[in-house]
Amino acid sequence: MLSFEDARAKVIEVMGARACAPARMTATETIDISPDPSKALGRILAEDILADRNYPPFNRSIRDGFALRAGDAAVPGARLRLTGESRAGFAFNGSIGEGECVRILTGAPLPKGANAVLMHEYTHLEGDFVVLEQAAYPGQHYVLAGAEARVGEVVISRGTRLGYAELAMAAEVGRGRLQASCRPRVAILSTGDELIGLGDKPGPFQIRNSNSISLAAQVASAGGEPVLVGNARDEVCELRARIEHALRADVLVLSGGVSAGRYDLVETVLQNLGAEILFDAVAIRPGKPVVFGWCCGKPVFGLPGNPVSTMVTFELFTSPAIEALSGYDPQPLPLFKAKLAHPVAEKGTVAHFLPARVSWPSGETGGDPKVKALLWEGSGDIGAVVRANCFLVVHASRLQLEAGEWVDVFPRRGKL
Ligand code: AMP
Ligand code: MG
């Protein structure tokens, strides 16, 4: 059985080799970032964005104070004649001569002749003169024109995921419209005779289809466009027909029906359709029976139906496939270390992803993050994940851990 690391690497390798060629993947669309930039948030840039001019476009003061010639202010106590003002949007129209200074405000252009700004806190006025209480050095408190970016320079590279800073940069350089990769369409097909829709009244043994909802949300956060294609009963003909229909999307994600029970038909039906099964088990709990295959030219994921298993296996294995299809280089798992708050003793031979909470000591001085696994009732317990902000990763190679050990933590997307 593959380790979760190897299974994830397999997905990334196969996607890179096979999936990143179809026309749809390279298709791009234009997105307006104004007036509503939220449409662009999280999208993958399909072009390089260039600086339209130097940034800053002029030598820009970063303090309120006085622009001066540093040579006039080499020692404290100098008196300089105040000859004008430069403020944001309005430059001082002249240049600074020897023994002169100009009042300057943050964001204002540095006047000609000046090569330093002294903060007003270190000055006082005496009539038309400014007395400097501190020396100034050349280059102090302003940013040189072009120091942040030169005209024509790439300021955001193709393949970058657009966040608030990237959108601000696009706005700064005057790019109200951006080319982004089209989001891959991800069909979500649940399976199970016991499942009903959200609006239906459950019978005593029926279960609402929550996986289609969590999967749709996860698909959207991974950069895909979720397409809910309903639920298939645990019956070969119906399942086959629904899978064939769903394969019109770029990726198919199924939930349920992948264990070894007599009503678990997903793998069989995929095989009947000629699918190549790349793996059908991964050494993790929750989520051991997880299928990754290739069917009719499309990647297919058969995720186990227990809701927490569905969530965890999606994050580990499906999400990098969606990233790859949306033009984003799949990233390594964002694990970080925290100190375990209590001993852990897991059984078996597989890695465990336990719903957990990580916290940092409060206060300015910081300190080590601490992680605590939550009580839970196993992989059907959605509430445990609601209470969690991460998963504690207990590797198969070390299932017994002591309090105070540094352990791996897998953040819950959007919660940390
Ligand atoms: P399965 O993987 O089909 O054996 O399902 C395992 C468990 O997950 C069963 O208790 C199912 O009722 C539950 N389950 C399967 N699919 C869903 C779903 N779409 N939403 C909520 N629970 C589900
Ligand atoms: Mg089932």
Side-chain angles (χ1 to χ4, degrees):
M1 213 186 326
L2 289 178
S3 66
F4 73 85
E5 294 96 335
D6 288 348
R8 185 179 162 95
K10 181 88 186 164
V11 170
I12 293 171
E13 174 210 317
V14 170
M15 293 305 296
R18 302 187 188 184
C20 296
R24 157 130 211 118
M25 198 251 116
T26 44
T28 65
E29 62 182 311
T30 306
I31 305 185
D32 285 317
I33 67 167
S34 164
D36 176 14
S38 65
K39 296 189 301 296
L41 204 58
R43 299 295 298 272
I44 309 300
L45 197 60
E47 58 173 336
D48 286 335
I49 301 296
L50 310 182
D52 61 324
R53 56 178 177 161
N54 284 338
Y55 287 93
F58 47 82
N59 294 336
R60 182 185 65 207
S61 177
I62 53 172
R63 294 286 189 278
D64 293 340
F66 295 92
L68 43 81
R69 295 155 66 116
D72 288 342
V75 289
R79 292 175 93 245
L80 303 178
R81 180 191 301 281
L82 183 59
T83 59
E85 179 180 270
S86 178
R87 65 186 178 102
F90 300 92
F92 170 71
N93 224 346
S95 71
I96 293 184
E98 210 177 316
E100 292 176 345
C101 70
V102 158
R103 185 187 307 281
I104 194 161
L105 295 127
T106 299
L110 194 76
K112 259 189 236 129
N115 65 351
V117 172
L118 187 66
M119 286 163 69
H120 71 92
E121 287 89 332
Y122 305 119
T123 64
H124 62 264
L125 285 176
E126 281 179 7
D128 289 345
F129 287 84
V130 179
V131 181
L132 313 185
E133 296 162 8
Q134 257 192 7
Y137 58 85
Q140 174 169 299
H141 296 330
Y142 69 93
V143 180
L144 271 178
E148 293 166 2
R150 314 287 294 177
V151 60
E153 191 180 313
V154 175
V155 287
I156 325 173
S157 311
R158 166 197 292 265
T160 302
R161 191 182 289 286
L162 296 170
Y164 57 82
E166 290 76 14
L167 291 169
M169 177 58 88
E172 181 174 52
V173 302
R175 290 296 310 271
R177 307 182 120 193
L178 303 175
Q179 284 300 113
S181 312
C182 290
R183 292 186 300 160
R185 288 166 53 81
V186 182
I188 295 167
L189 175 59
S190 65
T191 71
D193 289 342
E194 75 281 29
L195 298 179
I196 56 162
L198 266 63
D200 302 329
K201 191 170 156 38
F205 305 114
Q206 288 181 313
I207 302 292
R208 291 197 184 88
N209 179 358
S210 60
N211 285 350
S212 291
I213 302 301
S214 53
L215 284 171
Q218 288 177 286
V219 164
S221 346
E225 184 186 331
V227 184
L228 275 73
V229 295
N231 180 61
R233 284 180 300 132
D234 295 316
E235 190 270 310
V236 169
C237 288
E238 178 176 341
L239 184 56
R240 183 183 167 116
R242 285 190 181 265
I243 288 179
E244 280 182 304
H245 171 81
L247 281 168
R248 290 194 290 197
D250 301 307
V251 184
L252 169 58
V253 181
L254 292 124
S255 88
V258 288
S259 312
R262 61 188 296 205
Y263 298 102
D264 293 324
L265 305 169
V266 167
E267 199 173 343
T268 313
V269 169
L270 287 173
Q271 274 164 339
N272 291 346
L273 284 167
E276 179 189 356
I277 304 295
L278 294 151
F279 59 74
D280 63 0
V282 178
I284 52 164
R285 182 162 295 137
K288 195 159 89 176
V290 54
V291 176
F292 172 46
W294 211 260
C295 192
C296 308
K298 305 283 173 64
V300 177
F301 292 87
L303 309 182
N306 262 313
V308 182
S309 311
T310 317
M311 294 171 191
V312 169
T313 50
F314 180 95
E315 291 299 314
L316 294 178
F317 310 120
T318 311
S319 147
I322 294 173
E323 287 175 354
L325 283 173
S326 53
Y328 190 59
D329 281 340
Q331 306 292 304
L333 262 195
L335 298 182
F336 67 92
K337 298 276 185 199
K339 272 190 164 171
L340 189 57
H342 50 75
V344 163
E346 290 297 338
K347 296 192 191 73
T349 53
V350 303
H352 292 250
F353 280 70
L354 306 174
R357 279 200 77 81
V358 66
S359 58
W360 283 261
S362 52
E364 295 285 309
T365 48
D368 297 336
K370 249 193 179 162
V371 63
K372 196 170 179 210
L374 302 178
L375 286 176
W376 71 318
E377 297 299 329
S379 54
D381 189 354
I382 300 175
V385 185
V386 170
R387 291 187 291 275
N389 61 4
C390 64
F391 293 92
L392 162 62
V393 184
V394 184
H395 292 277
S397 54
R398 269 204 74 224
L399 296 167
Q400 318 279 322
L401 300 167
E402 278 154 37
E405 278 195 55
W406 287 98
V407 291
D408 279 330
V409 174
F410 179 45
R412 232 189 97 191
R413 203 193 280 266
K415 289 285 171 179
L416 280 179

